[in-house]
Amino acid sequence: MNERRWWNGRWSRLVRRDVFVRNAADGRWQVELLRGGPAGRRRVRSFLSEDEAVRWIESAVLADEGWREISDSRRAGKVAPKLRRVS
């Protein structure tokens, strides 16, 4: 399964947002919007291609500041560098 992930850089469950793009079994691409961490609310949208899904994310979701894409190396168990606190 191919997957990409973005995070808004906030730790608090009240303001944390995550976005995932996944290749579904039927060949479609799903965008999962997660609000409030793992136990939060989820919304899913389907797209015909990864390119279409990523374009939608870039235009509708990532317009706010602070979003970053989480790379595969960080998910593979490597320790992420310390993040600078932004006020």
Side-chain angles (χ1 to χ4, degrees):
M1 173 189 290
N2 295 332
E3 180 180 281
R4 291 176 69 183
R5 176 182 175 198
W6 292 264
W7 171 51
N8 70 345
R10 310 250 172 119
W11 289 100
S12 168
R13 80 174 170 83
L14 297 176
V15 293
R16 183 183 177 122
R17 306 289 183 267
D18 295 276
V19 178
F20 300 87
V21 174
R22 295 187 182 103
N23 176 288
D26 64 0
R28 293 181 184 220
W29 288 83
Q30 292 182 334
V31 173
E32 179 181 10
L33 304 167
L34 181 59
R35 172 180 274 182
R41 292 182 12 189
R42 298 176 191 276
R43 289 182 23 204
V44 177
R45 289 185 64 146
S46 293
F47 296 88
L48 297 177
S49 70
E50 179 182 18
D51 189 48
E52 183 183 355
V54 171
R55 278 196 319 262
W56 180 81
I57 289 170
E58 290 173 345
S59 67
V61 179
L62 304 183
D64 295 333
E65 290 186 29
W67 284 90
R68 65 196 80 176
E69 185 168 5
I70 306 298
S71 69
D72 288 336
S73 63
R74 288 190 185 173
R75 283 186 271 146
K78 290 187 178 181
V79 176
K82 288 190 177 186
L83 300 175
R84 231 178 66 228
R85 183 173 287 220
V86 178
S87 50

Coordinates of all heavy atoms in Angstrom, one line a residue:
M1 N 0.8 -1.2 0.0 CA 0.0 0.0 0.0 C 0.9 1.2 0.0 O 1.8 1.4 0.8 CB -0.9 0.0 1.2 CG -1.7 1.3 1.4 SD -2.6 1.5 2.9 CE -3.9 0.3 2.7
N2 N 0.7 2.1 -0.9 CA 1.4 3.4 -1.0 C 0.7 4.4 0.0 O -0.5 4.4 0.0 CB 1.4 4.0 -2.4 CG 2.1 3.1 -3.3 OD1 3.1 2.4 -3.0 ND2 1.7 3.2 -4.6
E3 N 1.5 5.1 0.7 CA 0.9 6.1 1.6 C 1.8 7.3 1.7 O 3.0 7.2 1.7 CB 0.7 5.5 3.0 CG 0.1 6.4 4.0 CD 0.0 5.7 5.4 OE1 -1.0 5.0 5.6 OE2 0.8 6.0 6.2
R4 N 1.2 8.5 1.8 CA 1.8 9.7 2.2 C 1.1 10.4 3.3 O -0.1 10.1 3.5 CB 1.8 10.7 1.0 CG 2.7 10.2 -0.1 CD 2.6 11.1 -1.4 NE 3.2 12.4 -1.1 CZ 3.2 13.3 -2.1 NH1 2.7 13.1 -3.2 NH2 3.8 14.5 -1.8
R5 N 1.8 11.2 4.1 CA 1.2 11.7 5.3 C 1.7 13.2 5.5 O 2.8 13.5 5.4 CB 1.6 10.9 6.5 CG 1.0 11.4 7.8 CD 1.5 10.6 9.0 NE 1.1 11.2 10.2 CZ 1.5 10.9 11.4 NH1 2.5 10.0 11.5 NH2 1.1 11.5 12.4
W6 N 0.7 14.0 6.0 CA 1.1 15.4 6.4 C 0.5 15.6 7.8 O -0.4 15.0 8.2 CB 0.4 16.4 5.4 CG 0.9 16.4 4.0 CD1 1.9 17.2 3.5 CD2 0.5 15.5 3.0 NE1 2.1 16.9 2.2 CE2 1.3 15.9 1.8 CE3 -0.3 14.5 2.8 CZ2 1.2 15.3 0.6 CZ3 -0.5 13.8 1.6 CH2 0.3 14.2 0.5
W7 N 1.2 16.6 8.5 CA 0.8 16.9 9.9 C 0.9 18.4 10.1 O 1.8 19.0 9.5 CB 1.8 16.1 10.8 CG 1.7 16.5 12.2 CD1 0.6 16.5 13.0 CD2 2.8 16.8 13.1 NE1 1.0 16.8 14.3 CE2 2.3 17.0 14.4 CE3 4.2 16.9 12.9 CZ2 3.1 17.4 15.4 CZ3 5.0 17.3 13.9 CH2 4.5 17.5 15.2
N8 N 0.0 19.0 10.8 CA 0.0 20.4 11.0 C 1.0 20.9 12.0 O 1.1 22.1 12.3 CB -1.4 20.9 11.3 CG -1.9 20.6 12.7 OD1 -1.3 19.7 13.4 ND2 -2.9 21.2 13.1
G9 N 1.8 20.0 12.6 CA 2.9 20.4 13.6 C 2.4 20.7 15.0 O 3.2 21.2 15.8
R10 N 1.2 20.4 15.3 CA 0.7 20.7 16.6 C 0.5 19.4 17.4 O 0.0 18.4 16.8 CB -0.6 21.4 16.5 CG -0.6 22.6 15.6 CD -0.7 23.9 16.3 NE -0.4 25.0 15.5 CZ -1.3 25.9 15.2 NH1 -2.5 25.9 15.7 NH2 -1.0 26.9 14.4
W11 N 0.8 19.4 18.7 CA 0.7 18.1 19.5 C -0.6 18.0 20.2 O -1.1 16.9 20.5 CB 1.8 18.1 20.5 CG 3.2 17.8 19.9 CD1 4.1 18.7 19.6 CD2 3.7 16.6 19.4 NE1 5.2 18.1 19.0 CE2 4.9 16.8 18.8 CE3 3.2 15.3 19.4 CZ2 5.7 15.8 18.3 CZ3 3.9 14.3 18.8 CH2 5.2 14.5 18.3
S12 N -1.2 19.1 20.6 CA -2.4 19.1 21.4 C -3.6 18.4 20.6 O -3.8 18.7 19.5 CB -2.9 20.5 21.8 OG -4.2 20.5 22.3
R13 N -4.3 17.5 21.3 CA -5.4 16.9 20.6 C -6.5 17.8 20.1 O -7.2 17.5 19.2 CB -6.0 15.7 21.4 CG -6.9 16.2 22.4 CD -7.6 15.0 23.1 NE -8.3 15.5 24.2 CZ -9.5 16.0 24.2 NH1 -10.2 16.0 23.0 NH2 -10.1 16.5 25.2
L14 N -6.6 19.0 20.7 CA -7.6 19.9 20.3 C -7.3 20.6 19.0 O -8.2 21.0 18.3 CB -7.8 21.0 21.4 CG -8.3 20.5 22.7 CD1 -8.3 21.7 23.7 CD2 -9.6 19.9 22.6
V15 N -6.1 20.7 18.6 CA -5.7 21.4 17.4 C -4.9 20.5 16.4 O -4.6 21.0 15.3 CB -4.9 22.7 17.7 CG1 -5.8 23.7 18.4 CG2 -3.7 22.4 18.5
R16 N -4.6 19.3 16.8 CA -3.8 18.4 15.9 C -4.6 18.0 14.7 O -5.8 17.6 14.8 CB -3.3 17.2 16.6 CG -2.5 16.3 15.8 CD -2.0 15.0 16.5 NE -1.3 14.3 15.5 CZ 0.0 13.9 15.7 NH1 0.6 14.2 16.8 NH2 0.6 13.2 14.8
R17 N -4.0 18.0 13.5 CA -4.6 17.6 12.3 C -3.6 16.7 11.5 O -2.4 17.0 11.4 CB -5.0 18.7 11.4 CG -5.9 19.8 12.0 CD -7.3 19.2 12.3 NE -8.1 20.2 12.8 CZ -8.3 20.4 14.1 NH1 -7.7 19.7 15.0 NH2 -9.1 21.4 14.5
D18 N -4.0 15.6 11.0 CA -3.2 14.7 10.1 C -4.0 14.4 8.9 O -5.2 14.3 8.9 CB -2.9 13.4 10.8 CG -2.1 13.5 12.1 OD1 -0.9 13.6 12.0 OD2 -2.7 13.6 13.2
V19 N -3.2 14.3 7.8 CA -3.8 14.0 6.5 C -3.1 12.8 5.9 O -1.8 12.8 5.8 CB -3.8 15.2 5.5 CG1 -4.4 14.8 4.2 CG2 -4.6 16.3 6.1
F20 N -3.8 11.8 5.4 CA -3.1 10.6 4.8 C -3.7 10.4 3.4 O -4.9 10.6 3.2 CB -3.5 9.3 5.6 CG -3.0 9.3 7.0 CD1 -3.8 9.9 8.0 CD2 -1.8 8.8 7.4 CE1 -3.4 9.9 9.3 CE2 -1.4 8.8 8.7 CZ -2.2 9.4 9.7
V21 N -2.8 10.0 2.5 CA -3.2 9.6 1.2 C -2.8 8.1 1.0 O -1.7 7.8 1.2 CB -2.6 10.4 0.1 CG1 -2.9 9.9 -1.3 CG2 -2.9 11.9 0.2
R22 N -3.8 7.3 0.7 CA -3.6 5.8 0.6 C -4.1 5.3 -0.7 O -5.2 5.7 -1.2 CB -4.2 5.1 1.8 CG -3.6 5.4 3.1 CD -4.2 4.5 4.2 NE -3.7 4.9 5.4 CZ -4.4 5.6 6.3 NH1 -5.6 6.0 6.1 NH2 -3.8 5.9 7.5
N23 N -3.4 4.3 -1.2 CA -3.9 3.5 -2.4 C -4.8 2.5 -1.9 O -4.4 1.6 -1.1 CB -2.7 2.9 -3.1 CG -3.0 2.1 -4.2 OD1 -3.6 1.0 -4.0 ND2 -2.8 2.5 -5.4
A24 N -6.1 2.5 -2.3 CA -7.1 1.6 -1.8 C -7.0 0.3 -2.7 O -6.5 0.3 -3.8 CB -8.5 2.2 -1.9
A25 N -7.6 -0.8 -2.2 CA -7.5 -2.1 -2.9 C -8.2 -2.0 -4.2 O -7.9 -2.8 -5.1 CB -8.2 -3.1 -2.0
D26 N -9.2 -1.2 -4.4 CA -9.9 -1.1 -5.7 C -9.3 -0.2 -6.7 O -9.9 0.1 -7.8 CB -11.4 -0.7 -5.4 CG -11.5 0.7 -4.9 OD1 -10.5 1.4 -4.6 OD2 -12.6 1.2 -4.7
G27 N -8.1 0.3 -6.4 CA -7.4 1.1 -7.4 C -7.6 2.6 -7.2 O -6.9 3.4 -7.8
R28 N -8.5 3.0 -6.3 CA -8.8 4.4 -6.0 C -7.8 4.9 -5.0 O -7.1 4.1 -4.4 CB -10.2 4.6 -5.5 CG -11.2 4.3 -6.5 CD -12.6 4.6 -6.0 NE -13.6 4.3 -6.9 CZ -14.7 5.0 -7.1 NH1 -14.9 6.0 -6.4 NH2 -15.6 4.6 -8.0
W29 N -7.8 6.2 -4.8 CA -6.9 6.8 -3.8 C -7.8 7.4 -2.8 O -8.8 8.1 -3.1 CB -6.0 7.8 -4.4 CG -4.9 7.1 -5.2 CD1 -5.0 6.7 -6.5 CD2 -3.6 6.8 -4.8 NE1 -3.9 6.0 -6.9 CE2 -3.0 6.1 -5.9 CE3 -2.9 6.9 -3.6 CZ2 -1.7 5.6 -5.8 CZ3 -1.6 6.5 -3.5 CH2 -1.0 5.8 -4.6
Q30 N -7.5 7.2 -1.5 CA -8.3 7.7 -0.4 C -7.5 8.8 0.3 O -6.3 8.6 0.6 CB -8.7 6.7 0.6 CG -9.7 5.7 0.0 CD -10.1 4.6 1.0 OE1 -9.4 4.3 2.0 NE2 -11.3 4.1 0.8
V31 N -8.2 9.9 0.7 CA -7.6 10.9 1.5 C -8.4 10.8 2.8 O -9.6 10.9 2.9 CB -7.8 12.3 0.9 CG1 -7.4 13.4 1.9 CG2 -7.0 12.5 -0.4
E32 N -7.6 10.6 3.9 CA -8.2 10.5 5.2 C -7.8 11.8 6.0 O -6.6 12.1 6.1 CB -7.7 9.3 6.0 CG -8.2 9.2 7.4 CD -7.7 8.0 8.1 OE1 -6.8 7.3 7.6 OE2 -8.2 7.7 9.2
L33 N -8.8 12.5 6.5 CA -8.5 13.7 7.3 C -8.8 13.3 8.8 O -9.9 12.8 9.1 CB -9.5 14.8 6.9 CG -9.4 15.2 5.4 CD1 -10.6 16.1 5.1 CD2 -8.1 15.9 5.1
L34 N -7.8 13.5 9.6 CA -7.9 13.1 11.0 C -7.7 14.3 11.9 O -6.8 15.0 11.8 CB -6.8 12.1 11.3 CG -6.7 11.5 12.7 CD1 -8.0 10.8 13.1 CD2 -5.5 10.5 12.8
R35 N -8.7 14.5 12.7 CA -8.7 15.7 13.6 C -8.6 15.2 15.1 O -9.4 14.4 15.5 CB -10.0 16.5 13.4 CG -10.2 17.5 14.4 CD -11.5 18.2 14.2 NE -11.2 19.3 13.2 CZ -12.1 20.1 12.7 NH1 -13.3 20.1 13.1 NH2 -11.7 21.1 11.9
G36 N -7.6 15.7 15.8 CA -7.6 15.3 17.2 C -6.7 14.1 17.6 O -7.0 13.5 18.6
G37 N -5.8 13.7 16.7 CA -5.0 12.5 17.0 C -5.7 11.2 16.7 O -6.8 11.2 16.2
P38 N -5.1 10.1 17.2 CA -5.6 8.8 16.8 C -7.0 8.5 17.3 O -7.7 7.7 16.6 CB -4.6 7.8 17.5 CG -3.4 8.6 17.7 CD -3.8 10.1 17.9
A39 N -7.4 9.1 18.4 CA -8.8 8.9 18.9 C -9.8 9.9 18.4 O -10.9 9.9 18.8 CB -8.8 8.9 20.4
G40 N -9.3 10.8 17.4 CA -10.2 11.8 17.0 C -11.1 11.5 15.9 O -11.4 10.3 15.6
R41 N -11.7 12.5 15.2 CA -12.7 12.3 14.2 C -12.0 12.1 12.8 O -11.0 12.7 12.5 CB -13.6 13.5 14.1 CG -14.5 13.6 15.3 CD -15.4 14.8 15.2 NE -15.5 15.4 13.9 CZ -16.1 16.6 13.6 NH1 -16.7 17.2 14.6 NH2 -16.1 17.1 12.4
R42 N -12.6 11.2 12.0 CA -12.0 10.9 10.7 C -13.0 11.2 9.6 O -14.2 10.9 9.8 CB -11.7 9.4 10.6 CG -10.7 8.9 11.5 CD -10.4 7.4 11.4 NE -9.6 6.9 12.5 CZ -8.3 7.0 12.5 NH1 -7.7 7.4 11.5 NH2 -7.6 6.5 13.6
R43 N -12.5 11.7 8.5 CA -13.3 11.9 7.3 C -12.5 11.3 6.1 O -11.3 11.5 6.1 CB -13.6 13.3 7.0 CG -14.6 13.9 8.0 CD -15.0 15.3 7.8 NE -14.8 15.8 6.4 CZ -14.6 17.1 6.1 NH1 -14.6 18.0 7.1 NH2 -14.4 17.5 4.9
V44 N -13.2 10.6 5.2 CA -12.5 10.0 4.1 C -13.1 10.5 2.8 O -14.3 10.5 2.6 CB -12.5 8.5 4.2 CG1 -11.9 7.8 3.0 CG2 -11.9 8.0 5.4
R45 N -12.2 10.8 1.8 CA -12.7 11.2 0.4 C -11.9 10.3 -0.5 O -10.8 9.9 -0.3 CB -12.3 12.6 0.1 CG -13.2 13.6 0.8 CD -12.9 15.0 0.4 NE -13.2 15.1 -1.0 CZ -13.7 16.3 -1.6 NH1 -13.8 17.3 -0.8 NH2 -14.0 16.3 -2.8
S46 N -12.6 9.9 -1.6 CA -12.0 9.0 -2.6 C -11.7 9.8 -3.9 O -12.4 10.7 -4.3 CB -12.9 7.9 -3.0 OG -13.0 7.0 -1.9
F47 N -10.6 9.4 -4.6 CA -10.1 10.1 -5.8 C -9.7 9.0 -6.8 O -9.3 7.9 -6.4 CB -9.0 11.0 -5.5 CG -9.4 12.2 -4.7 CD1 -9.3 12.1 -3.3 CD2 -9.8 13.4 -5.2 CE1 -9.6 13.2 -2.5 CE2 -10.2 14.5 -4.4 CZ -10.1 14.4 -3.1
L48 N -9.7 9.3 -8.1 CA -9.3 8.3 -9.1 C -7.8 8.1 -9.2 O -7.4 7.1 -9.7 CB -9.9 8.7 -10.4 CG -11.5 8.7 -10.5 CD1 -12.0 9.2 -11.8 CD2 -12.0 7.3 -10.1
S49 N -7.1 9.2 -8.8 CA -5.6 9.1 -8.9 C -4.9 9.7 -7.8 O -5.5 10.6 -7.1 CB -5.1 9.7 -10.2 OG -5.3 11.1 -10.1
E50 N -3.7 9.3 -7.5 CA -2.9 10.0 -6.5 C -2.7 11.4 -6.7 O -2.8 12.3 -5.8 CB -1.5 9.3 -6.3 CG -0.7 9.9 -5.2 CD 0.7 9.2 -5.1 OE1 1.1 8.5 -6.0 OE2 1.3 9.4 -4.1
D51 N -2.4 11.8 -8.0 CA -2.2 13.2 -8.4 C -3.4 14.0 -8.0 O -3.3 15.1 -7.5 CB -1.8 13.2 -9.9 CG -1.4 14.6 -10.3 OD1 -0.5 15.2 -9.6 OD2 -1.9 15.1 -11.3
E52 N -4.6 13.5 -8.4 CA -5.8 14.3 -8.1 C -6.0 14.4 -6.6 O -6.3 15.5 -6.1 CB -7.0 13.5 -8.6 CG -8.3 14.2 -8.5 CD -9.5 13.3 -9.0 OE1 -9.2 12.3 -9.6 OE2 -10.6 13.7 -8.8
A53 N -5.7 13.4 -5.8 CA -5.8 13.5 -4.3 C -4.8 14.5 -3.7 O -5.2 15.3 -2.9 CB -5.6 12.1 -3.7
V54 N -3.6 14.4 -4.2 CA -2.6 15.4 -3.6 C -2.9 16.8 -4.0 O -2.7 17.7 -3.2 CB -1.2 14.9 -4.1 CG1 -0.1 16.0 -3.7 CG2 -0.8 13.6 -3.5
R55 N -3.4 17.0 -5.3 CA -3.7 18.4 -5.7 C -4.9 18.9 -4.8 O -4.8 20.1 -4.4 CB -4.2 18.4 -7.1 CG -3.0 18.5 -8.1 CD -3.5 18.9 -9.5 NE -4.7 18.3 -9.9 CZ -4.8 17.2 -10.7 NH1 -3.7 16.6 -11.2 NH2 -6.0 16.7 -11.1
W56 N -5.8 18.1 -4.4 CA -6.9 18.5 -3.6 C -6.4 18.9 -2.2 O -6.7 19.9 -1.6 CB -8.0 17.4 -3.5 CG -9.1 17.9 -2.6 CD1 -10.2 18.7 -2.9 CD2 -9.3 17.6 -1.2 NE1 -11.0 18.9 -1.8 CE2 -10.5 18.2 -0.7 CE3 -8.6 16.8 -0.3 CZ2 -10.9 18.1 0.6 CZ3 -9.0 16.7 1.0 CH2 -10.2 17.4 1.4
I57 N -5.5 18.0 -1.7 CA -4.9 18.3 -0.3 C -4.2 19.6 -0.4 O -4.3 20.5 0.5 CB -4.0 17.2 0.1 CG1 -4.8 15.9 0.4 CG2 -3.1 17.6 1.3 CD1 -3.9 14.7 0.6
E58 N -3.3 19.8 -1.4 CA -2.5 21.1 -1.5 C -3.4 22.3 -1.5 O -3.1 23.3 -1.0 CB -1.6 21.0 -2.7 CG -0.5 20.0 -2.4 CD 0.4 19.8 -3.7 OE1 0.0 20.2 -4.8 OE2 1.4 19.2 -3.5
S59 N -4.5 22.2 -2.2 CA -5.4 23.4 -2.4 C -6.4 23.6 -1.2 O -6.6 24.7 -0.8 CB -6.2 23.3 -3.7 OG -7.1 22.3 -3.7
A60 N -6.9 22.5 -0.7 CA -7.9 22.6 0.4 C -7.4 22.6 1.8 O -8.0 23.1 2.7 CB -9.0 21.6 0.1
V61 N -6.3 21.8 2.0 CA -5.9 21.6 3.4 C -4.6 22.3 3.7 O -4.5 22.9 4.8 CB -5.7 20.0 3.6 CG1 -5.2 19.7 5.0 CG2 -7.0 19.3 3.3
L62 N -3.6 22.2 2.9 CA -2.3 22.7 3.2 C -2.1 24.2 3.0 O -1.0 24.7 3.2 CB -1.2 21.9 2.4 CG -1.2 20.4 2.5 CD1 -0.1 19.8 1.7 CD2 -1.2 20.0 3.9
A63 N -3.2 24.9 2.7 CA -3.1 26.3 2.6 C -2.8 27.0 3.9 O -2.2 28.1 3.9 CB -4.5 26.8 2.1
D64 N -3.1 26.4 5.0 CA -2.7 27.0 6.3 C -1.2 26.8 6.6 O -0.7 25.8 6.1 CB -3.5 26.3 7.5 CG -5.0 26.6 7.4 OD1 -5.4 27.6 6.8 OD2 -5.8 25.7 7.8
E65 N -0.6 27.6 7.4 CA 0.8 27.5 7.7 C 1.1 26.4 8.6 O 0.2 26.0 9.4 CB 1.3 28.8 8.3 CG 1.3 30.0 7.3 CD 2.0 31.2 7.9 OE1 2.8 31.1 8.8 OE2 1.6 32.3 7.5
G66 N 2.3 25.9 8.6 CA 2.7 24.9 9.6 C 2.7 23.5 9.1 O 3.2 22.6 9.8
W67 N 2.0 23.2 8.0 CA 1.9 21.8 7.5 C 3.3 21.3 7.0 O 4.0 22.0 6.4 CB 0.9 21.7 6.4 CG -0.5 21.8 7.0 CD1 -1.3 22.9 7.1 CD2 -1.3 20.7 7.4 NE1 -2.5 22.6 7.6 CE2 -2.6 21.2 7.8 CE3 -1.1 19.3 7.5 CZ2 -3.6 20.4 8.3 CZ3 -2.1 18.5 8.0 CH2 -3.4 19.1 8.4
R68 N 3.5 20.0 7.3 CA 4.7 19.4 6.7 C 4.4 18.0 6.4 O 3.6 17.3 7.0 CB 5.9 19.5 7.7 CG 5.6 18.7 9.0 CD 6.5 19.1 10.1 NE 5.9 20.3 10.7 CZ 6.4 20.9 11.7 NH1 7.4 20.4 12.4 NH2 5.8 22.0 12.2
E69 N 5.1 17.5 5.4 CA 5.0 16.1 5.0 C 5.9 15.2 5.8 O 7.0 15.6 6.0 CB 5.2 15.9 3.5 CG 5.0 14.4 3.1 CD 4.9 14.2 1.6 OE1 5.2 15.2 0.8 OE2 4.6 13.1 1.2
I70 N 5.4 14.1 6.4 CA 6.2 13.2 7.2 C 6.7 12.2 6.2 O 6.0 11.5 5.5 CB 5.3 12.5 8.3 CG1 4.5 13.6 9.1 CG2 6.1 11.6 9.1 CD1 5.4 14.5 9.9
S71 N 8.1 12.1 6.2 CA 8.7 11.2 5.3 C 8.7 9.7 5.8 O 8.5 9.5 7.0 CB 10.2 11.6 5.1 OG 10.9 11.4 6.3
D72 N 8.9 8.8 4.9 CA 8.9 7.4 5.3 C 10.0 7.1 6.3 O 9.8 6.2 7.1 CB 9.2 6.5 4.0 CG 8.0 6.5 3.1 OD1 6.8 6.7 3.6 OD2 8.1 6.2 1.9
S73 N 11.2 7.7 6.2 CA 12.3 7.4 7.2 C 11.9 7.7 8.6 O 12.3 7.0 9.5 CB 13.5 8.2 6.8 OG 13.2 9.6 6.9
R74 N 11.1 8.7 8.8 CA 10.6 9.0 10.2 C 9.6 8.0 10.7 O 9.6 7.6 11.9 CB 9.9 10.4 10.3 CG 10.9 11.5 10.1 CD 10.3 12.8 10.5 NE 11.2 13.9 10.2 CZ 10.9 15.1 10.3 NH1 9.7 15.5 10.5 NH2 11.9 16.0 10.0
R75 N 8.8 7.4 9.8 CA 7.9 6.4 10.2 C 8.5 5.0 10.4 O 8.0 4.2 11.0 CB 6.7 6.3 9.2 CG 5.7 7.4 9.3 CD 4.6 7.2 8.4 NE 4.9 7.8 7.2 CZ 4.5 7.4 6.0 NH1 3.8 6.3 5.9 NH2 4.8 8.0 4.9
A76 N 9.7 4.9 9.8 CA 10.4 3.6 9.9 C 11.2 3.4 11.2 O 12.0 2.5 11.3 CB 11.4 3.5 8.7
G77 N 11.0 4.3 12.2 CA 11.6 4.1 13.5 C 12.7 5.1 13.8 O 13.3 5.1 14.9
K78 N 13.1 5.9 12.8 CA 14.2 6.9 13.1 C 13.6 8.0 14.0 O 12.4 8.3 13.9 CB 14.7 7.5 11.8 CG 15.5 6.5 11.0 CD 16.1 7.2 9.8 CE 16.9 6.3 9.0 NZ 17.6 6.9 7.9
V79 N 14.4 8.5 14.9 CA 14.0 9.6 15.8 C 13.9 10.9 15.0 O 14.9 11.2 14.3 CB 15.0 9.7 17.0 CG1 14.6 10.8 17.8 CG2 15.0 8.4 17.7
A80 N 12.8 11.6 15.1 CA 12.7 12.9 14.4 C 13.5 13.9 15.2 O 13.7 13.8 16.4 CB 11.2 13.3 14.5
P81 N 14.1 14.9 14.4 CA 14.8 15.9 15.1 C 13.9 16.7 16.0 O 12.7 16.8 15.8 CB 15.3 16.7 13.9 CG 14.4 16.4 12.8 CD 13.9 15.0 13.0
K82 N 14.5 17.4 17.0 CA 13.7 18.3 17.8 C 13.1 19.4 17.0 O 13.7 20.0 16.2 CB 14.6 18.8 19.0 CG 15.0 17.8 20.0 CD 15.6 18.5 21.2 CE 16.0 17.4 22.2 NZ 16.5 18.0 23.4
L83 N 11.8 19.6 17.3 CA 11.1 20.7 16.6 C 11.2 22.0 17.4 O 11.2 22.0 18.6 CB 9.6 20.3 16.5 CG 9.3 19.0 15.7 CD1 7.8 18.7 15.8 CD2 9.8 19.1 14.3
R84 N 11.4 23.1 16.6 CA 11.4 24.4 17.2 C 10.0 24.8 17.6 O 9.1 24.6 16.8 CB 11.9 25.3 16.1 CG 13.0 26.2 16.6 CD 13.5 27.1 15.5 NE 12.5 28.1 15.1 CZ 12.1 28.4 13.9 NH1 12.7 27.8 12.9 NH2 11.2 29.3 13.7
R85 N 9.9 25.4 18.7 CA 8.6 25.9 19.2 C 8.3 27.2 18.5 O 9.1 28.1 18.5 CB 8.5 26.0 20.7 CG 7.2 26.5 21.2 CD 7.1 26.5 22.6 NE 7.1 25.1 23.1 CZ 6.4 24.7 24.1 NH1 5.6 25.5 24.7 NH2 6.4 23.4 24.4
V86 N 7.1 27.3 17.8 CA 6.8 28.5 17.1 C 5.7 29.1 17.9 O 4.7 28.5 18.3 CB 6.2 28.1 15.7 CG1 5.8 29.4 15.0 CG2 7.3 27.4 14.9
S87 N 5.9 30.4 18.2 CA 4.8 31.2 19.0 C 3.9 32.0 18.1 O 4.1 32.1 17.0 CB 5.5 32.1 20.0 OG 6.5 32.8 19.4

